[in-house]
Amino acid sequence: MHPAPLIALVGNPNAGKSALFNALTGARQKVGNYPGVTVERHSGRMSLSDGRPVELLDLPGTYSLDPSSPDEQVTRDVVTGKGGLECLPDALLVVVDATNLDNHLRFVIQLKALGRPMVVALNMIDMATRDGLKIETAVLESELGVPVIPTVAVRKRGLDEIRDALSGVLGTKAGEPRAVDPDIRAYQRPARALAKAATVEQPRSRAVSKSLDRVVLHPVAGPIILLGLLFVMFQAVFSWSEAPIGWIEGLQGLLADSALNLPQGFLRDLLIEGVINGVGSVVVFLPQIVILFLFILLLEGSGYMVRAAFLMDRLMASVGLSGRAFIPLLSSFACAIPGIMATRSISDPRERLTTILIAPLMTCSARLPVYAVIIGAFIPARSLAPGIGLQGLVLFILYLAGVVGAVVAALVIRRLSPKGSANGSFMMELPRYQLPIARDVLLGLWQRAWIFLRRAGTIIMAATVALWLLASYPVAPEGVRQSEYSVAGRIASGLHVVLEPIGFNRGMSLAVIPAMAAREVAVSALQTVYAIDAEDEDAGAQELGARIGDSWPLSTALAFLAWFVFAPQCLSTIAVAKRETNGWKWPLVMLGYLFVLAYLAAGATYWIASAFGL
Amino acid sequence: MRTGGGDHTLPKVVRRNFAGFAGQHVLIMARNMSIAATAPLSDAPIRHPVPVRAVDWAVLSEGETRRLREFGLDEGVEVEILHRSMFGRGPLACRIGRMTIAIRAHVAHAIHVEAKGA
């Protein structure tokens, strides 16, 4: 048994489930995974009105107990107690959209057949009132035989009543378990009849959403708005982040300076070169990641994201995908890991696999440090036209190269897959527009930022420190470069044989290895290597750009950029792909094709640039 | 309750759906008009609510069928095209009951609605 009773939050998509979850649990949440699947497990603590603590589990939204995608399957398995993911929940809290009772009540009736203690949250009751619907809660209660509580999750209305009702039903039985018909149609007519009996309807629905959609989904205006939003988003990632990046760098400098007071020796060097500057060179990208996720959370929270998927469907269809794949791919610009995890809502297995395979080609934020350093060192900050700088243009080309690579890869995958091009399907509910709720967005941002910082504090720090050790020892004799004499230098020399034809020097060959742990480490690795070689070690902190600018030819730098557009350089992504595809086959395919692509792209870039004498 | 699955592939069944949003209406229409007065939803005029007369489930995939039913699509339900994309080949946004959904053109083609003004 659970130490605290487990209450599962279930409901149709867009019923406001997560908003209710956030309102009930506040910040006391845990994000984890279900065993064996990458569907995120969101759970949190709350106390009932009698003071009992309970665990609330936010299950993925689904229309019925007949799952059509992996995340819906989790919901089915948990509420029916099959599949061994969880103990059977002690009670269900079912969320329905008060403005769409016809549809949402079907699922309530289906769930009721399970015979579990149950409370229904009649959510978005304010919207229903605005739409001119008057709902008789008493009718619903007497017909369903369970407590029905009107709520407005976003305004925290009805929460105490929910806590009361849950304490009331815990430990009781809602009814005898009956055979559950997996076909939701079986519940269609009773649901409609009940909805009709309980509502006094006036047929003005969604006036605001409708008129907004006239613009947002307009054949001409729609795509322009979408492009504009994406442009603003990527622009903001760079312009808004300048100041906070400066603060983090300042803090890093302060820390490094204060560490200089420590007695000279191994520990001080490790702390300054390995930990503070190594991890610091990665943490500076936190602002950009937060800004990118802010946009993604706002787009999702407002209901616009599905409209973007609608607008993109035509384009995605031409490479064998659907608009649905646009959402995970957009997330992959922040990080491929949540992107790959977001593919769980794609029901077509082949489309899902293709999306997983091409997600790493979307330029994730971990590549930014690498791009930023190289571009800063080699591309002059010249203005080509008002508002268009040369550096920005190069960055844009790098992003574009990733997208083009993904399109080509998707086409090749479609060509190679056995059934050819079946017409995929695209069916999504377009939810009502709403103002994103600040609390929900902040919680989401906090969770993403925390995941990133934890990564910086664990895997990135470990990789940086290990590299520092390998690059520092054994100590080189007089006249021999430390970066060549050390263990890391010798490993790099071996790899260098393979990478030399595409223009990589020893330092780069060395940086490519730890970058497998996380791409950003390439920057801290170069930083470390050059710092170790440098005589004046504390000057190493600021001068990476200048140093490589002096010592690398432009053709080499461009080849390095091309490598990072394609190379599969994050083990966590491979690990998630493995878990998501249940085996090693596809992650290995991904690894292989991305390495080949990276090698060829870097090589081609180097050879062409060299031919032009760069 | 009867929930047989076999009869759904046949378009001309007048549904026994009295509780449905426009069930009664459809029944009367079906008595008075010829069965042929239907048109695919993909050809329906924009922002013009029409009741569904039949759905050609046989041409839809299992996943599409399930999703459409989950959205509440059935004979007798009122649907309305809200938006089309630029060249007619992209998806359509339509309203089913109180829900707005996106579907592709071939799905809209399989949904036969009452042809207004026929």
Side-chain angles (χ1 to χ4, degrees), chain B residues 93-111:
Chain B
C94 56
R95 185 179 60 75
I96 299 181
R98 299 187 66 83
M99 253 174 156
T100 308
I101 61 158
I103 53 174
R104 281 194 173 163
H106 75 271
V107 176
H109 200 77
I111 301 171

Side-chain angles (χ1 to χ4, degrees), chain A residues 10-96:
Chain A
V10 264
N12 284 21
N14 308 311
K17 220 164 37 62
S18 294
L20 187 63
F21 176 70
N22 287 337
L24 282 169
T25 60
R28 291 169 296 171
Q29 296 185 9
K30 242 173 45 195
V31 187
N33 276 311
Y34 293 96
V37 278
T38 51
V39 176
E40 274 183 352
R41 181 188 188 276
H42 289 260
S43 67
R45 286 285 172 142
M46 63 179 263
S47 339
L48 299 183
S49 46
D50 54 10
R52 253 186 304 179
V54 292
E55 189 186 2
L56 192 64
L57 180 65
D58 187 15
L59 290 172
T62 178
Y63 293 99
S64 72
L65 291 177
D66 183 15
S68 56
S69 62
D71 54 345
E72 296 183 5
Q73 196 168 339
V74 164
T75 301
R76 200 258 328 252
D77 289 351
V78 170
V79 298
T80 57
K82 283 179 198 144
L85 294 178
E86 293 282 339
C87 298
L88 196 60
D90 299 290
L92 301 179
L93 176 54
V94 188
V95 190
V96 298

Side-chain angles (χ1 to χ4, degrees), chain A residues 72-307:
Chain A
E72 296 183 5
Q73 196 168 339
V74 164
T75 301
R76 200 258 328 252
D77 289 351
V78 170
V79 298
T80 57
K82 283 179 198 144
L85 294 178
E86 293 282 339
C87 298
L88 196 60
D90 299 290
L92 301 179
L93 176 54
V94 188
V95 190
V96 298
D97 176 354
T99 66
N100 194 2
L101 279 186
D102 273 14
N103 248 297
H104 289 212
L105 280 179
R106 294 179 309 181
F107 193 32
V108 177
I109 299 171
Q110 190 179 37
L111 285 168
K112 206 183 152 251
L114 295 168
R116 307 299 302 163
M118 191 163 117
V119 171
V120 172
L122 191 59
N123 199 27
M124 304 201 242
I125 192 77
D126 56 336
M127 297 281 186
T129 312
R130 194 189 298 170
D131 281 1
L133 300 173
K134 191 171 175 306
I135 297 166
E136 307 278 354
T137 314
V139 175
L140 289 176
E141 271 188 343
S142 69
E143 288 296 314
L144 290 168
V146 298
V148 176
I149 314 290
T151 58
V152 184
V154 299
R155 308 215 189 300
K156 298 196 165 191
R157 261 161 52 191
L159 301 187
D160 288 337
E161 292 82 347
I162 290 276
R163 292 195 184 94
D164 281 344
L166 283 173
S167 14
V169 300
L170 262 186
T172 65
K173 253 194 165 36
E176 280 307 303
R178 276 170 283 133
V180 177
D181 192 331
D183 189 346
I184 196 74
R185 269 179 311 148
Y187 303 99
Q188 189 108 278
R189 264 178 284 162
R192 287 223 180 100
L194 179 54
K196 205 168 184 175
T199 358
V200 187
E201 193 174 349
Q202 275 145 44
R204 259 271 60 90
S205 77
R206 300 190 169 195
V208 180
S209 284
K210 258 187 172 173
S211 45
L212 252 177
D213 270 343
R214 279 197 181 207
V215 182
V216 169
L217 299 183
H218 188 272
V220 180
I224 293 173
I225 293 172
L226 176 60
L227 269 181
L229 274 174
L230 292 180
F231 180 79
V232 169
M233 173 169 127
F234 284 111
Q235 201 66 31
V237 164
F238 292 98
S239 53
W240 298 2
S241 61
E242 268 172 34
I245 285 179
W247 305 332
I248 295 176
E249 278 171 348
L251 185 70
Q252 182 192 339
L254 273 180
L255 282 175
D257 284 348
S258 59
L260 277 176
N261 298 329
L262 294 171
Q264 197 158 2
F266 168 78
L267 264 183
R268 192 184 88 165
D269 291 351
L270 175 73
L271 195 66
I272 295 178
E273 289 171 13
V275 179
I276 297 178
N277 288 343
V279 174
S281 60
V282 173
V283 172
V284 288
F285 293 94
L286 179 66
Q288 296 186 330
I289 289 171
V290 167
I291 293 168
L292 199 53
F293 272 116
L294 172 69
F295 272 88
I296 288 175
L297 289 169
L298 288 178
L299 292 182
E300 277 180 345
S302 61
Y304 182 78
M305 198 63 124
V306 180
R307 270 75 182 184

Side-chain angles (χ1 to χ4, degrees), chain B residues 6-111:
Chain B
D7 55 349
H8 290 277
T9 50
L10 283 175
K12 284 162 198 162
V13 181
V14 176
R15 303 284 292 150
R16 312 134 292 186
N17 189 355
F18 286 93
F21 183 66
Q24 209 124 24
H25 181 57
V26 166
L27 193 72
I28 294 162
M29 297 300 284
R31 259 194 218 129
N32 298 341
M33 293 173 61
S34 84
I35 298 293
T38 66
L41 177 63
S42 45
D43 296 343
I46 208 157
R47 280 184 269 279
H48 204 104
V50 277
V52 172
R53 294 285 289 268
V55 182
D56 195 356
W57 299 110
V59 303
L60 298 175
S61 75
E62 195 195 324
E64 288 165 342
T65 302
R66 178 170 42 201
R67 248 304 111 85
L68 275 184
R69 284 178 175 155
E70 285 175 349
F71 287 153
L73 186 91
D74 216 337
E75 283 91 347
V77 174
E78 196 183 62
V79 293
E80 175 185 1
I81 297 254
L82 296 177
H83 305 276
R84 284 179 215 274
S85 42
M86 189 157 14
F87 303 110
R89 308 250 7 226
L92 303 99
C94 56
R95 185 179 60 75
I96 299 181
R98 299 187 66 83
M99 253 174 156
T100 308
I101 61 158
I103 53 174
R104 281 194 173 163
H106 75 271
V107 176
H109 200 77
I111 301 171

Side-chain angles (χ1 to χ4, degrees), chain A residues 286 445-455:
Chain A
L286 179 66
L445 272 187
W446 165 246
Q447 280 163 359
R448 290 298 157 202
W450 176 240
I451 289 170
F452 174 78
L453 286 177
R454 207 172 48 195
R455 213 160 87 94

